[in-house]
Amino acid sequence: ERVLELARRLSRGEALGTEEEEEEGCQKHREPLEVFCKEDGALLCAICRESRAHRAHTVLTLPEAAREFEGQIQAGLQTLKDDRDKLLELREAEMRRNW
């Protein structure tokens, strides 16, 4: 949800790092969230990033993560739109057949 919201905000041209995000920061260290851990699917502060738990993991900057997930979301959305169009065509054909 957090990455999706970041993607939406980036697509609208909004800046990241607002006061609201800083208040929400890392629950453990009270630091701003700076990177996204791909393995754990979590936002990390600089301290968490250097911890043993995440040190060997692949991390992305927030804009990179937002772009990556936005691409995945757009692909899924296109699939859903295509499925919807097919269903609407089938419904219309059935209505014509019944008519």
Side-chain angles (χ1 to χ4, degrees), residues 62-74:
L62 297 182
E64 289 172 335
R67 278 191 298 275
E68 183 174 310
F69 282 98
E70 185 176 22
Q72 291 175 7
I73 290 167
Q74 291 297 332

Side-chain angles (χ1 to χ4, degrees), residues 35-49:
V35 294
F36 178 77
C37 176
K38 288 182 78 171
E39 280 80 356
D40 294 329
L43 294 170
L44 306 174
C45 72
I47 297 169
C48 290
R49 167 63 182 112

